[in-house]
Amino acid sequence: MDENKQSRKIMWYSLAFMAFSAVWGFGNVVNGFSEFGGLKAIVSWILIFAIYFVPYTLMVGELGSSFKNLGGGVSSWIDETIGPKLAYYAGWTYWVVHLPYISQKPQGAIIAGCWTIFQNNTVSKLDPKLLQFLCLVIFLAGLWVASRGIKPLKQITTIAGTSMFVMSILFILLMVAAPAITHNSNLLNIDWSAKTFLPTFDLKYFTSLSILVFAVGGCEKISPYVNKMKDPERGFPKGMIALAIMVAVCAILGTISLGMMFDSNNVPKDLLTNGAYYAFQRLGEYYHLGNTFVVIYAITNVIGQISTLILSIDAPLRILLETTDKKYIPSKLFVKNKYGSFTNGNKLIGIIVCILIIIPAFGIGNVDSIVRWLVKLNAVCMPLRYLWVFVAYIALKRAGEKFSAEYRFTKSKTMGIIMGAWCFIFTAFACIGGMYSDNKFQLIMNIVTPFILVGLGIIMPKLAERERIAKEQL
């Protein structure tokens, strides 16, 4: 091999860092701390990394290596291993689960905006109808921008995302060092006995697992880089184990950092709404820098949330329509405007997301409850796309030696199928369990939303077929 080409190959540690920034975020630490009893979240993080995250990433590596020339991601893998119809359903699932995610972004921007301006938890005191009205305005503005072309946005999103990522790592480093540097009397002393860390395996625990699955998912984004590595057979698992260690260290140290700020036995009820901002605000107080950290974090979050909103409207729809067999989707959805944006696809997104924004304003009583519900709803819907990764992996192992790969998670066909089935069952269990709520309205919404979103995908091929028959009869 040419020496220059060899030097351009990705090293295992470079891949680990690339994957780390794609998979992990500070919000995951706050969500875990809030929903898993403060410091008790540490054991849950370790368990999820060991039994789910590591095998998941290694399976993605084998899929990426087996189908190195395919650009469509999961739906391409399904197309190769099973067929175009299921590939369409995989592509549809990948797209449609982004809709609750899109409905959450305006809310995130408003929370960040309130912290930028007021530097306190004013947003929690807003009338939920006003909050959702503002979300609707921001979403419709984002939809309009997305329909006009979004070329510069990817760079803005990357810069904002990188800034938030750097801030998250900085938070952990400064908090771990805080007792030695600041000698602040407001820091809580952690009880290091087992009872502080052992979770209670009750109904709430098992119905919250979807939050952990959602947090560690999405590593299929790195699959295109497997075959660009130097020595993928040894380098990829090394990179993924390094990734798992880095994520685990951040989750553990991040949780301990929050445990120095918030009492695990009395976690604030608005932590999902304001937790990250409380954390940066207190960090600034410990280091006598006032609200410097929280304002920087809030500003980058406003930019990040809005740019992610616009990208999430355009990119997943584009992937669905440009990589799926056209016979499964009505031709009207392929209509483009002069900017190259899918006009009717955007209208469909607009209708569904507007419904997702409007309904909770009339059924959920306060801002913090709406935020919690949307986090839970996303944790139910988003991991549905991971199911197709495991379906593709099971199909790949069943195909035996039909597909060659530079990297294999396991050479055993049986072991591969068992591991794929385990991750599929665990993901499905987490999603179904995550639907549970003791609030009747939220329970109905958690069940109905994913069924309707996925169910629309069953209707589309029928509409496309009816359209074809009508054309043939003309």
Side-chain angles (χ1 to χ4, degrees):
M1 186 185 281
D2 182 273
E3 205 173 307
N4 263 346
K5 217 170 178 183
Q6 183 69 31
S7 66
R8 287 198 300 270
K9 287 278 188 180
I10 298 169
M11 302 301 291
W12 64 268
Y13 46 83
S14 302
L15 188 80
F17 281 113
M18 285 162 62
F20 183 50
S21 56
V23 168
W24 196 245
F26 184 59
N28 296 329
V29 182
V30 176
N31 293 350
F33 192 89
S34 171
E35 298 304 293
F36 287 87
L39 291 165
K40 289 182 170 66
I42 289 173
V43 172
S44 302
W45 283 123
I46 292 168
L47 285 172
I48 202 82
F49 294 137
I51 67 172
Y52 182 77
F53 182 58
V54 171
Y56 173 21
T57 54
L58 297 178
M59 282 181 227
V60 164
E62 185 170 343
L63 284 160
S65 186
S66 300
F67 307 114
K68 58 187 171 187
N69 298 318
L70 300 179
V74 180
S75 52
S76 299
W77 302 339
I78 295 287
D79 192 20
E80 286 292 311
T81 54
I82 302 172
K85 189 158 190 179
L86 277 185
Y88 154 72
Y89 287 122
W92 177 271
T93 307
Y94 178 86
W95 170 69
V96 86
V97 297
H98 275 82
L99 301 186
Y101 179 73
I102 289 168
S103 74
Q104 190 184 31
K105 294 291 111 183
Q107 194 184 79
I110 291 165
I111 294 167
C114 282
W115 274 92
T116 304
I117 298 162
F118 304 110
Q119 292 157 42
N120 59 33
N121 63 355
T122 296
V123 71
S124 291
K125 302 178 185 78
L126 283 180
D127 183 308
K129 291 182 180 67
L130 174 61
L131 174 77
Q132 295 307 90
F133 171 73
L134 293 172
C135 286
L136 201 59
V137 171
I138 290 171
F139 165 66
L140 291 172
L143 189 63
W144 182 83
V145 173
S147 69
R148 292 294 184 276
I150 53 162
K151 285 177 185 172
L153 269 177
K154 200 161 188 181
Q155 288 175 315
I156 296 167
T157 312
T158 304
I159 293 163
T162 306
S163 304
M164 285 169 64
F165 178 69
V166 169
M167 289 286 290
S168 304
I169 301 299
L170 186 67
F171 169 80
I172 292 168
L173 293 173
L174 290 175
M175 271 309 297
V176 169
I181 296 173
T182 67
H183 305 290
N184 195 295
S185 58
N186 291 325
L187 289 169
L188 299 180
N189 288 317
I190 293 172
D191 174 8
W192 294 96
S193 64
K195 67 175 184 181
T196 306
F197 299 95
L198 282 178
T200 307
F201 295 103
D202 54 7
L203 180 67
K204 184 183 183 302
Y205 184 89
F206 289 107
T207 56
S208 299
L209 281 176
S210 57
I211 288 175
L212 299 181
V213 171
F214 179 33
V216 299
C219 64
E220 56 272 13
K221 293 172 197 165
I222 58 157
S223 61
Y225 303 106
V226 180
N227 283 62
K228 294 175 184 173
M229 290 186 70
K230 184 179 180 182
D231 189 11
E233 193 168 347
R234 282 186 295 179
F236 186 80
K238 267 168 79 174
M240 290 305 96
I241 289 161
L243 165 67
I245 291 167
M246 286 195 293
V247 172
V249 167
C250 276
I252 292 164
L253 292 182
T255 305
I256 289 169
S257 299
L258 292 176
M260 292 156 66
M261 291 180 164
F262 307 104
D263 181 0
S264 291
N265 299 312
N266 191 22
V267 175
K269 286 187 167 54
D270 65 340
L271 204 70
L272 283 181
T273 310
N274 300 303
Y277 303 99
Y278 286 150
F280 279 102
Q281 190 173 50
R282 292 191 187 183
L283 185 69
E285 288 168 8
Y286 297 155
Y287 284 89
H288 307 292
L289 291 169
N291 284 334
T292 306
F293 289 132
V294 75
V295 170
I296 295 169
Y297 182 76
I299 290 169
T300 55
N301 215 348
V302 171
I303 298 164
Q305 296 284 343
I306 291 173
S307 52
T308 303
L309 161 71
I310 297 163
L311 273 180
S312 298
I313 289 168
D314 185 79
L317 178 65
R318 200 170 287 279
I319 290 168
L320 171 68
L321 296 179
E322 290 178 354
T323 62
T324 303
D325 192 320
K326 287 182 168 54
K327 73 178 182 181
Y328 298 112
I329 298 175
S331 61
K332 284 183 180 177
L333 281 178
F334 292 94
V335 174
K336 288 184 181 181
N337 63 16
K338 63 181 179 181
Y339 304 102
S341 181
F342 292 98
T343 310
N344 293 323
N346 285 340
K347 285 178 186 173
L348 182 61
I349 291 171
I351 292 164
I352 296 171
V353 174
C354 282
I355 292 167
L356 286 171
I357 289 172
I358 292 165
I359 289 177
F362 297 95
I364 301 176
N366 61 68
V367 168
D368 295 331
S369 296
I370 290 177
V371 172
R372 173 173 261 103
W373 171 69
L374 260 180
V375 168
K376 291 279 280 183
L377 182 67
N378 272 289
V380 168
C381 292
M382 267 296 198
L384 292 174
R385 65 192 174 126
Y386 312 153
L387 292 172
W388 289 107
V389 174
F390 309 125
V391 168
Y393 189 73
I394 292 166
L396 175 69
K397 297 316 282 186
R398 286 185 66 186
E401 298 300 313
K402 185 180 172 184
F403 303 101
S404 62
E406 286 184 55
Y407 163 72
R408 291 192 190 278
F409 167 37
T410 172
K411 289 177 182 172
S412 165
K413 179 178 175 178
T414 307
M415 181 55 70
I417 292 170
I418 289 168
M419 293 306 292
W422 156 250
C423 285
F424 182 95
I425 291 163
F426 188 83
T427 307
F429 173 79
C431 290
I432 294 164
M435 292 176 182
Y436 174 79
S437 172
D438 51 14
N439 178 293
K440 192 175 177 183
F441 175 83
Q442 292 179 37
L443 174 65
I444 291 167
M445 287 294 291
N446 290 347
I447 295 170
V448 167
T449 305
F451 273 100
I452 289 177
L453 293 179
V454 175
L456 281 171
I458 298 167
I459 295 168
M460 288 294 164
K462 297 186 189 308
L463 294 176
E465 190 178 1
R466 189 184 293 176
E467 186 182 67
R468 272 197 314 277
I469 291 167
K471 279 181 183 174
E472 286 164 9
Q473 288 173 348
L474 286 174

